[in-house]
């Protein structure tokens, strides 16, 4: 059914968009990204499962603590895997973030186990129906794009109307001038990484009831989110979110018409073709460099 396919696509696209917003945040502020963003998503799902199912906590405090720990993980990524290399003018943060993500994946695999787990949710039990006809989607799949777009709008409002947002924009435009104005550049960069992994953790919490929770669940999501960030133009916040929605819808349509076996082949081929035509992404702009 076309409607259920579109709803599924909007849900997937919102997840990709949320994670891609994390790439945008760190790149805009520091010129770096966290290539362990998929691991951050997995961490949010695994921690939520552990607190809610293993320890028996109510869902709300379980989610809040899981997301707080995801944000702390973002601070750790910036402090251990990014800052030491950037301060020396090295690009080794590329490998540093990848390595830290692999470490996290394997720590979770040892502690959590290899077997996939299911996180029950009242929003993912009974499919929605239109009259007597079932739509084939769960309420959570309708809620996901609402949450994703609301968070994107909130992030936009924070960046434009709060002191922290103004500081972030100042660091984005001119780091040296921001430092001279008394803005704590390191703290702003660290906060961007914390918010980046927080958004990935939200994505993990949202998809956990729809997908099995396991240590490797974030790998493919992370790759697709990075593709979306590049596809949308990593310098445009709304660009990466819109690209995420378009990517998710296209992926759902391909899976519904041709089968899931063709999904990765066609989607990543599409990414290559689009970037060949528009190297800066659909909504990105070429950066002007002074020489």
């Amino acid at each position: 059914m076309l409607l259920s396919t579109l709803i599924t696509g909007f849900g997937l696209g919102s997840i990709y968009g949320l994670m891609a917003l994390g790439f945008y945040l760190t790149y805009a502020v520091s010129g770096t990204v966290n290539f362990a963003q998929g691991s951050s998503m997995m961490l949010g799902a695994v921690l939520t499962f552990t607190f809610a199912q293993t320890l028996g906590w109510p869902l709300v405090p379980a989610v809040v603590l899981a997301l707080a720990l995801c944000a702390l993980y973002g601070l750790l990524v910036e402090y251990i895997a990014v800052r030491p290399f950037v301060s020396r003018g090295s690009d080794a943060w590329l490998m540093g973030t990848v390595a830290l993500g692999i470490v996290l994946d394997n720590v979770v695999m040892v502690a959590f186990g290899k077997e996939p787990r299911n996180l029950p949710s009242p929003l993912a039990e009974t499919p929605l129906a239109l009259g007597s006809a079932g739509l084939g989607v769960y309420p959570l799949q309708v809620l996901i794009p609402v949450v994703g777009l609301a968070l994107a709008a909130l992030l936009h409002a924070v960046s434009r109307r709060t002191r922290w947002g103004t500081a972030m924009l100042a660091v984005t435009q001119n780091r040296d001038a921001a430092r001279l104005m008394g803005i704590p550049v390191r703290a702003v960069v660290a906060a961007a990484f914390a918010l980046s992994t927080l958004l990935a953790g939200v994505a993990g919490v949202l998809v956990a009831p729809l997908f099995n929770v396991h240590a490797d669940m974030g790998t493919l999501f992370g790759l697709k989110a990075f593709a979306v960030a590049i596809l949308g133009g990593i310098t445009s916040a709304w660009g990466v979110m819109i690209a995420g929605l378009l990517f998710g819808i296209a992926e759902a349509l391909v899976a519904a018409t041709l089968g899931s076996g063709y999904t990765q082949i066609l989607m990543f081929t599409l990414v290559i073709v689009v970037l060949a035509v528009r190297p800066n992404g659909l909504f990105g702009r070429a950066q002007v460099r002074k020489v």
Side-chain angles (χ1 to χ4, degrees):
M1 188 177 182
L2 180 59
L3 181 59
S4 62
T5 300
L6 291 176
I7 293 174
T8 301
F10 266 107
L12 282 173
S14 298
I15 296 300
Y16 300 146
L18 276 178
M19 297 178 69
L21 276 176
F23 287 119
Y24 156 77
L25 272 173
T26 57
Y27 183 80
V29 173
S30 66
T32 64
V33 296
N34 175 17
F35 283 106
Q37 190 76 331
S39 300
S40 306
M41 172 198 171
M42 175 274 297
L43 183 64
V46 167
L47 288 175
T48 300
F49 180 93
T50 301
F51 297 145
Q53 294 298 114
T54 305
L55 300 181
W57 291 12
L59 186 59
V60 172
V63 169
V64 170
L65 182 57
L67 294 181
L69 291 175
C70 284
L72 287 176
Y73 173 68
L75 295 176
L76 183 68
V77 170
E78 192 275 334
Y79 188 75
I80 292 179
V82 177
R83 185 184 300 183
F85 304 112
V86 172
S87 63
R88 294 196 294 266
S90 169
D91 290 331
W93 56 265
L94 290 161
M95 194 61 225
T97 56
V98 172
L100 196 58
I102 293 174
V103 169
L104 177 61
D105 290 348
N106 283 273
V107 167
V108 171
M109 185 178 294
V110 171
F112 187 72
K114 297 182 179 180
E115 292 298 320
R117 319 279 181 89
N118 177 51
L119 179 64
S121 170
L123 297 175
E125 293 178 354
T126 306
L128 292 171
L130 188 61
S132 59
L135 295 180
V137 295
Y138 296 102
L140 182 58
Q141 290 173 279
V142 178
L143 181 63
I144 287 175
V146 175
V147 173
L149 292 172
L151 286 175
L154 179 62
L155 179 62
H156 178 77
V158 167
S159 67
R160 300 292 178 180
R161 300 182 181 180
T162 66
R163 293 184 64 184
W164 182 86
T166 303
M168 187 184 75
L169 290 175
V171 173
T172 300
Q173 293 172 4
N174 192 315
R175 177 177 295 196
D176 293 332
R179 186 179 288 111
L180 291 173
M181 293 297 294
I183 295 174
V185 174
R186 283 190 174 182
V188 172
V189 172
F193 271 85
L195 185 54
S196 170
T197 52
L198 176 65
L199 291 173
V202 170
V205 171
L206 289 173
V207 303
L210 301 173
F211 295 84
N212 288 327
V213 179
H214 56 92
D216 296 327
M217 66 178 293
T219 303
L220 190 55
F221 276 99
L223 286 173
K224 290 181 180 180
F226 184 67
V228 162
I230 301 301
L231 185 64
I234 198 169
T235 56
S236 171
W238 280 110
V240 299
M241 194 67 198
I242 294 171
L245 294 175
L246 293 175
F247 191 96
I249 293 171
E251 184 179 62
L253 289 172
V254 170
T257 54
L258 300 178
S260 59
Y262 291 92
T263 304
Q264 315 309 337
I265 298 173
L266 293 178
M267 293 309 301
F268 282 100
T269 300
L270 178 63
V271 170
I272 294 172
V273 171
V274 172
L275 291 179
V277 177
R278 293 187 61 86
N280 297 300
L282 294 174
F283 306 98
R285 295 180 179 178
Q287 294 184 355
V288 177
R289 299 183 181 274
K290 296 181 179 180
V291 293

